[in-house]
Amino acid sequence: MAANTVPDLHWLETIDHHNFEERAIALFHYQYEHNPLYRAYTDAIHINAEAVRHLTDIPFLPISFFKSHTVLTGTHKPELLFESSGTTGMIPSRHHIVHPKYYEYAYRSAFAHFYGNVADYIVIGLLPSYLERKHSSLVYMVNDLVQMSAHEDSGFYLNEFEQLAIVLQKHRDKKIILIGVTFALLDFAEAYPMDLSHVIVMETGGMKGRKEEWTRIEVHAYLQQQWQLPGVHSEYGMSELLSQAYAPANGLFSCDRTMKVLLRDESDPLETYAYGSGCLNIIDLANIDSCAFIATEDIAKIHRDDTFEVLGRRDHAALRGCSLMVI
């Protein structure tokens, strides 16, 4: 793909394990050419774009730029805006979406890869704080999965815990997936302990000051105890990404075809490597219209089988080199 060739949905659909690096390098050159912010950042940290030949050569844009700048590749007008949930008073991240079909492809493909045909499920969203916001990428995704499910009991539940408990208990012979923000799942589990061993319970993170912070291990142990679950599933996603990773158990995440994770050295953020522990860098090839190469503020461990676990957050999020950017 030449730097002036615009990637499209077919380009996205034909990504696989064998061509991922080639596609990532091609998208880097395209975004360097057509994303003024990413180009300026790459130049500011003295990366020679012509010398980028491998995944570990690619510069990763600090995720904080989604709060301070418009991260946009090309000149088309965005159709959607996704914002991070951020705590009160904080500046939210803003992700401008030109082609919603890229997001729809990424999460539909990932769901099918990890869980099969969504039409076979009752899909339930327990996302009260997210439903109160206008620009939630999670609500957009779950709403689409609910529509694709087409079951009469699929849908969103706010604080109707009694009704939700009845729905979950009466369909013991059907596939059910309950996707919930962490604090709401904990509230529901406290109020309604029961046998949900037939339900896939997926927590998406999100305490947001609503409860004392629990670790993921503590959250999962409590939900398993209250609902007799063999395990708790997790989703790793954020407003700045269009792809997601999923963990069926034990907090070990795997990526679908459009996403790959790498690590960077906390003391030298331009040093990128594949395995071990460090700060998490994400390649999201569905982010064609923003930036596909994001340096997150999460600390992670990547295993040799390419699964990864999130260990926490950095205490100081600013990356060395950000101060070079005054745009």
Side-chain angles (χ1 to χ4, degrees), residues 216 236 250-253 280 296-302 308-313:
R216 171 174 275 124
Y236 183 87
N250 303 320
L252 288 175
F253 292 94
L280 193 63
T296 78
E297 295 162 4
D298 290 329
I299 305 294
K301 181 176 182 180
I302 302 179
F308 69 98
E309 51 188 310
V310 179
L311 306 177
R313 303 269 291 179

Side-chain angles (χ1 to χ4, degrees), residues 10-309:
H10 176 72
W11 182 91
L12 190 61
E13 291 171 339
T14 52
I15 291 168
D16 59 30
H17 173 74
H18 301 288
N19 65 20
F20 187 94
E21 183 168 34
E22 173 192 334
R23 296 289 176 93
I25 298 300
L27 187 54
F28 161 74
H29 288 290
Y30 173 76
Q31 293 187 332
Y32 178 80
E33 187 70 26
H34 297 283
N35 185 323
L37 174 69
Y38 187 48
R39 183 186 184 109
Y41 177 72
T42 300
D43 292 345
I45 59 175
H46 308 296
I47 297 293
N48 178 6
E50 294 302 317
V52 173
R53 294 287 183 268
H54 304 284
L55 294 183
T56 52
D57 298 332
I58 295 172
F60 287 80
L61 187 72
I63 199 168
S64 59
F65 280 112
F66 282 84
K67 295 183 178 181
S68 59
H69 296 73
T70 297
V71 184
L72 195 62
T73 297
T75 58
H76 293 288
K77 183 178 179 181
E79 292 187 20
L80 288 176
L81 172 66
F82 292 142
E83 289 186 342
S84 63
S85 54
T87 54
T88 303
M90 291 183 64
I91 299 172
S93 290
R94 296 167 65 85
H95 191 182
H96 299 273
I97 309 299
V98 176
H99 295 99
K101 62 186 178 182
Y102 297 160
Y103 182 41
E104 292 163 0
Y105 172 76
Y107 65 68
R108 289 172 182 174
S109 172
F111 188 95
H113 175 77
F114 289 102
Y115 297 104
N117 188 350
V118 67
D120 295 334
Y121 286 86
I122 299 171
V123 179
I124 294 173
L126 185 59
L127 308 167
S129 62
Y130 289 76
L131 286 171
E132 296 162 4
R133 296 166 34 227
K134 293 182 179 179
H135 303 294
S136 168
S137 58
L138 181 59
V139 169
Y140 188 100
M141 178 184 76
V142 175
N143 182 63
D144 187 53
L145 296 177
V146 165
Q147 299 305 314
M148 294 174 68
S149 161
H151 192 280
E152 62 180 3
D153 283 327
S154 290
F156 291 96
Y157 292 77
L158 285 169
N159 298 308
E160 307 101 327
F161 286 171
E162 182 178 0
Q163 181 185 356
L164 177 55
I166 292 171
V167 169
L168 293 173
Q169 291 281 40
K170 77 176 182 180
H171 292 298
R172 301 196 66 85
D173 60 337
K174 292 183 170 60
K175 291 183 177 180
I176 304 175
I177 184 164
L178 170 61
I179 304 173
V181 64
T182 305
F183 77 83
L185 290 174
L186 291 174
D187 286 346
F188 182 37
E190 181 180 10
Y192 285 87
M194 54 185 153
D195 181 3
L196 293 184
S197 56
H198 61 294
V199 176
I200 294 175
V201 175
M202 179 183 295
E203 59 95 7
T204 65
M207 298 294 282
K208 304 302 181 190
R210 296 291 294 270
K211 281 183 176 289
E212 180 182 351
E213 288 287 346
W214 290 22
T215 66
R216 171 174 275 124
I217 292 174
E218 291 171 332
V219 169
H220 287 202
Y222 184 74
L223 295 179
Q224 287 180 260
Q225 171 191 306
Q226 293 294 95
W227 288 336
Q228 303 175 40
L229 300 171
V232 177
H233 296 232
S234 300
E235 183 237 20
Y236 183 87
M238 56 185 71
S239 62
E240 300 89 350
L241 298 177
L242 297 188
S243 298
Q244 307 81 37
Y246 290 101
N250 303 320
L252 288 175
F253 292 94
S254 297
C255 300
D256 193 26
R257 296 178 298 105
T258 59
M259 179 179 174
K260 185 175 179 61
V261 293
L262 295 170
L263 298 166
R264 67 182 184 277
D265 190 318
E266 188 167 6
S267 61
D268 183 2
L270 301 185
E271 181 183 343
T272 306
Y273 49 99
Y275 302 109
S277 299
C279 301
L280 193 63
N281 285 349
I282 296 177
I283 300 175
D284 180 2
L285 298 187
N287 265 0
I288 293 170
D289 298 316
S290 55
C291 182
F293 313 100
I294 298 175
T296 78
E297 295 162 4
D298 290 329
I299 305 294
K301 181 176 182 180
I302 302 179
H303 301 276
R304 289 285 172 178
D305 62 357
D306 291 322
T307 61
F308 69 98
E309 51 188 310

